Amino acid sequence: MEENKQNKQGDYSASNIQVLEGLEAVRKRPAMYIGDIGVKGLHHMVWEVVDNSIDEALAGHCDTITVEINEDNSITVTDNGRGIPTDIHKKENRSALEVVMTVLHAGGKFDKDTYKVSGGLHGVGVSCVNALSSMLKATVHRGGKVWEQEYSRGVPKAPVKEVGTTDITGTKVHFLPDDQIFTVLKYNSETIASRLRELSFLNASIKIKMIDHREVDDDGKSLEESFYSEGGLAEFVAYLDNTREKLIPEPIYIEGDKGEVPVQVALSYNTSYSENVVSYVNNINTIEGGTHVSGFRRALTRTLKNYADKSGQLDKVKVEIVGDDFREGLTAVISVKVAEPQFEGQTKTKLGNSDVMGAVDTCVSEILLEYLEEHPKEARQIVSKVVLAAQARHAARKAREMVQRKNVLSGTGLPGKLADCSDKDPAICELYLVEGDSAGGSAKQGRDRKFQAILPLRGKILNVEKAQEHKIYDNEEIKNMITALGVSFGTEEDEKALNMTKLRYHKVIIMTDADIDGSHIRTLILTFFFRYMRALIERGYLYIALPPLYLIKKGKTERYAWSEDDRVRVINEIAPNGKEDSVSVQRYKGLGEMNPDQLWTTTMDPAHRSLKQVTIESAAEADHLFSMLMGDEVAPRREFIEKNAKYAKVDV
């Protein structure tokens, strides 16, 4: 009894560490635990370790976290939390630190008295990282002493040992991902920075720093980036909307604690035509939404509609106003903390807890109504935007129906330009969206007609970021894509939702030239899919083809290169001392320069091609990127180009 009483008072010791199962399966099936063994899984290793530090922060014991990318692509995560317990775990009869590091599902987050809520989708934690690292070293500052243990592929090299004294507390984990497991070993600093920025917004007043020791400035100092947010979600919304024109001056911030579910919401309106609602549960990005998003939408629609009815602004409106209309131009971030979240859906990132819906609904209704009554000018602007959205939606519905009616009337309903495949099984069929008729011709001749279909796109499609929805369905190339795919819009719950019941291809491949125009066309197509067919991306059906940049010849030897580094490597392999003058190098400016056989061999043959799957790791970051690249504001785009383009100069 005494021990339990101490735990409830916040004591954190070996008795709080619950052991559920061992590590045996992790190295055999790593993808089951971290998603995959490529780029995504590699970065997931960082998230698992950082999540432990964030859990300490959520429990009120940590306010500073540092993530270092070392020169050898190992990672060091340091926090100033309480430090992982090092005393002897009674059941396991070894140090609690060793238990946490070597037993799957062992940790304080399974003990409700230690962590009320915790992040991490799978709960596999740092032991999984340890199992998949060729080297991991844990250093704990706790109780005035420094403790240390080293591991290799999850196996301790020696028992936990005391190595010094200290006047601070915290945990440092240094790990090197195992090259026997991962196909990619190089970390992307932008990916890590993006997640750390997100975490700083979601957890206000925590100082998070990223140091990349692989890059140094002119003074020889490692590049650093710091993330700190005092305003939390309100600052997050402002960040997401900084490339759009505001409709209201400041985001509306909502916070409450209903039924033991802490709720935080920030929302704002802009002059764009798209809705951007990003949701989180315990810092996990719930890409597919769930009960917290349903509760938010229900409250937003009901509260705004009641206010608009009372204000008389809807008296002369001739079209019906529905839920979608209240969300056009809306940017919102929803964050809830749930003690025992239940996840479901295609990617296991959809919240299923029914009690959360009511908690969010009540909280949003109360505070939003207060805001509307206290800010009549902003309330009028929002309602006016809603009315315009309803009128535009009415026009968009007619345009969508027109596209779908034409499909029925034209017999097959397929665009004349489409060279379809003979197989009708969507699971094996591929649709190539090809830039230009010339490349389309080569692709049609080079393809495997059984399962590969080709749709040539002429010129640049409409920039959907700047267009009202009904204008989008008038664009010939967009109409052709919709009809070729066989999708339609509208379900019982949501008239804008993508209906994929008749989707004809489970691989949609964007194939454009490797030049500036090709990149622009690819971005336009990606923007359309992100804004209007996001479900297709979430299912993993969208890909980008990677045609080679160079053909390198020496005598009868022919090799292709996909990058500048590739070109140098190939020349070094086939020419003495890498002498370029002894080889011929052809730079492909466009797909049309390749004959059908070359296009098949390099870019379309499943046995040899390289495809990049389009995924949405962070919906918030993706939204910010698309609005910045394709929106009206020039300054953020210019800054992005200057920072990211290696050879770009922006002239004034």
Side-chain angles (χ1 to χ4, degrees):
M1 282 293 292
E2 185 60 31
E3 186 177 87
N4 285 340
K5 189 176 172 187
Q6 282 184 341
N7 289 342
K8 285 187 174 158
Q9 288 171 343
D11 187 35
Y12 180 41
S13 66
S15 62
N16 298 100
I17 306 301
Q18 291 192 11
V19 179
L20 301 183
E21 62 178 87
L23 270 186
E24 298 81 16
V26 179
R27 287 185 63 81
K28 284 183 182 175
R29 300 183 188 86
M32 265 184 65
Y33 296 88
I34 56 165
D36 66 22
I37 53 170
V39 173
K40 187 178 176 185
L42 184 76
H43 288 81
H44 192 93
M45 300 269 278
V46 183
W47 315 153
E48 285 289 354
V49 183
V50 171
D51 278 345
N52 283 357
S53 300
I54 292 289
D55 288 342
E56 276 289 275
L58 288 174
H61 302 289
C62 162
D63 65 3
T64 304
I65 302 165
T66 303
V67 178
E68 297 171 76
I69 311 171
N70 302 305
E71 287 181 24
D72 61 352
N73 273 285
S74 65
I75 296 285
T76 307
V77 179
T78 310
D79 68 45
N80 66 343
R82 291 169 291 181
I84 296 170
T86 54
D87 49 323
I88 297 300
H89 192 282
K90 286 179 185 173
K91 184 182 171 189
E92 293 283 310
N93 199 29
R94 51 185 169 145
S95 168
L97 172 62
E98 186 175 313
V99 174
V100 167
M101 289 290 170
T102 60
V103 181
L104 193 64
H105 298 306
K109 63 177 68 178
F110 296 102
D111 180 273
K112 285 183 186 174
D113 297 326
T114 304
Y115 293 122
K116 281 196 168 60
V117 296
S118 67
L121 178 54
H122 305 296
V124 293
V126 74
S127 60
C128 183
V129 176
N130 194 7
L132 302 177
S133 296
S134 55
M135 178 284 299
L136 186 144
K137 182 178 180 182
T139 307
V140 174
H141 292 252
R142 184 180 167 92
K145 295 177 180 178
V146 183
W147 304 85
E148 203 171 81
Q149 189 171 32
E150 284 190 56
Y151 317 82
S152 178
R153 300 185 171 95
V155 179
K157 287 187 166 183
V160 174
K161 60 185 177 188
E162 185 186 327
V163 294
T165 58
T166 181
D167 57 0
I168 61 169
T169 61
T171 304
K172 178 162 83 171
V173 176
H174 176 207
F175 68 92
L176 180 67
D178 191 352
D179 60 5
Q180 292 179 10
I181 298 287
F182 292 95
T183 56
V184 179
L185 295 163
K186 187 176 180 183
Y187 278 102
N188 183 316
S189 58
E190 282 296 320
T191 303
I192 293 175
S194 169
R195 175 61 177 157
L196 298 182
R197 182 185 297 111
E198 194 173 61
L199 285 170
S200 73
F201 285 132
L202 291 166
N203 304 279
S205 303
I206 299 176
K207 295 187 276 293
I208 306 178
K209 185 190 286 184
M210 184 188 81
I211 306 172
D212 189 347
H213 294 294
R214 302 168 306 175
E215 292 190 49
V216 293
D217 60 19
D218 295 338
D219 299 325
K221 193 181 174 195
S222 296
L223 291 187
E224 287 188 17
E225 209 167 338
S226 294
F227 308 97
Y228 177 80
S229 171
E230 196 72 55
L233 296 198
E235 281 182 21
F236 199 173
V237 166
Y239 167 76
L240 293 176
D241 260 4
N242 72 355
T243 60
R244 301 183 177 105
E245 188 184 336
K246 293 177 186 174
L247 194 70
I248 59 175
E250 296 296 331
I252 304 166
Y253 182 65
I254 295 162
E255 186 173 9
D257 198 329
K258 303 288 177 185
E260 295 193 354
V261 178
V263 176
Q264 287 180 296
V265 176
L267 65 106
S268 190
Y269 278 89
N270 56 66
T271 58
S272 81
Y273 307 112
S274 56
E275 169 200 352
N276 178 33
V277 174
V278 189
S279 61
Y280 298 86
V281 175
N282 304 350
N283 296 322
I284 301 156
N285 186 187
T286 39
I287 295 168
E288 293 181 89
T291 50
H292 52 330
V293 176
S294 300
F296 166 74
R297 286 181 168 160
R298 192 168 73 181
L300 182 83
T301 301
R302 187 181 65 251
T303 309
L304 276 174
K305 193 162 191 318
N306 288 346
Y307 179 86
D309 281 334
K310 282 180 186 172
S311 70
Q313 275 183 269
L314 303 183
D315 292 350
K316 294 179 182 177
V317 179
K318 292 180 181 175
V319 294
E320 183 196 2
I321 293 181
V322 299
D324 279 351
D325 304 325
F326 293 96
R327 301 195 298 271
E328 187 179 282
L330 169 73
T331 298
V333 180
I334 305 160
S335 177
V336 295
K337 301 291 194 287
V338 182
E340 292 185 25
Q342 293 155 14
F343 292 107
E344 54 191 51
Q346 187 74 20
T347 56
K348 296 286 179 246
T349 53
K350 182 177 183 180
L351 185 67
N353 300 57
S354 55
D355 58 320
V356 176
M357 186 187 294
V360 176
D361 185 332
T362 307
C363 197
V364 171
S365 301
E366 288 174 4
I367 298 173
L368 182 58
L369 183 59
E370 271 178 36
Y371 175 89
L372 295 170
E373 288 173 344
E374 290 171 13
H375 299 80
K377 182 186 170 191
E378 285 83 358
R380 268 196 310 276
Q381 286 173 310
I382 293 170
V383 174
S384 297
K385 169 81 173 167
V386 169
V387 171
L388 285 172
Q391 291 163 342
R393 178 182 51 80
H394 191 67
R397 183 199 288 161
K398 283 185 173 176
R400 278 198 304 268
E401 286 171 356
M402 193 67 74
V403 172
Q404 281 153 216
R405 195 177 302 124
K406 276 183 183 174
N407 293 352
V408 175
L409 293 173
S410 63
T412 64
L414 297 175
K417 282 184 167 189
L418 175 72
D420 206 5
C421 49
S422 57
D423 205 300
K424 299 301 174 207
D425 179 1
I428 63 166
C429 290
E430 306 177 346
L431 174 66
Y432 276 85
L433 303 173
V434 184
E435 171 194 350
D437 289 334
S438 167
S442 283
K444 284 176 186 178
Q445 291 176 57
R447 69 184 172 134
D448 185 324
R449 291 163 188 268
K450 185 176 187 301
F451 67 95
Q452 291 179 321
I454 310 294
L455 180 66
L457 300 174
R458 181 176 291 162
K460 293 176 180 174
I461 73 162
L462 184 71
N463 180 359
V464 300
E465 197 68 27
K466 295 181 180 181
Q468 283 187 295
E469 193 180 351
H470 66 277
K471 299 262 179 75
I472 290 161
Y473 302 110
D474 286 337
N475 181 269
E476 197 61 35
E477 305 307 316
I478 287 177
K479 277 196 285 194
N480 285 343
M481 282 194 284
I482 293 169
T483 53
L485 287 166
V487 296
S488 58
F489 292 89
T491 61
E492 281 184 22
E493 299 84 33
D494 184 352
E495 69 173 60
K496 283 186 179 180
L498 185 68
N499 186 334
M500 294 196 290
T501 51
K502 294 184 179 175
L503 179 68
R504 304 177 65 246
Y505 313 93
H506 284 187
K507 262 199 175 78
V508 181
I509 302 163
I510 302 168
M511 188 160 76
T512 60
D513 292 345
D515 60 7
I516 299 295
D517 277 347
S519 296
H520 190 211
I521 290 166
R522 185 168 66 235
T523 307
L524 286 165
I525 297 170
L526 283 169
T527 307
F528 168 67
F529 276 97
F530 179 71
R531 292 294 180 210
Y532 290 92
M533 294 194 180
R534 194 186 296 190
L536 200 129
I537 300 175
E538 287 164 359
R539 290 277 183 92
Y541 294 163
L542 188 63
Y543 295 80
I544 293 169
L546 299 173
L549 285 176
Y550 301 101
L551 171 60
I552 300 159
K553 293 182 184 176
K554 185 175 189 295
K556 290 185 178 179
T557 304
E558 287 190 355
R559 296 273 292 277
Y560 294 96
W562 274 260
S563 66
E564 198 59 36
D565 288 346
D566 252 0
R567 182 185 69 81
V568 173
R569 182 181 53 76
V570 170
I571 290 170
N572 281 326
E573 284 175 9
I574 67 173
N577 304 317
K579 286 183 180 174
E580 286 205 35
D581 55 4
S582 66
V583 298
S584 111
V585 179
Q586 180 186 350
R587 168 76 157 91
Y588 289 121
K589 292 192 179 75
L591 297 165
E593 291 181 20
M594 284 189 230
N595 64 42
D597 287 347
Q598 290 174 318
L599 197 54
W600 164 256
T601 304
T602 63
T603 316
M604 300 181 73
D605 179 1
H608 300 106
R609 70 186 177 190
S610 292
L611 293 179
K612 211 179 251 183
Q613 190 174 36
V614 179
T615 59
I616 304 171
E617 279 296 298
S618 165
E621 200 60 31
D623 171 79
H624 182 255
L625 190 63
F626 280 116
S627 67
M628 181 264 297
L629 287 174
M630 309 308 289
D632 287 317
E633 296 291 317
V634 175
R637 183 157 54 245
R638 177 197 172 105
E639 188 184 324
F640 176 84
I641 292 167
E642 287 177 333
K643 182 182 174 185
N644 291 281
K646 290 181 182 175
Y647 311 110
K649 282 188 177 177
V650 182
D651 295 323
V652 179

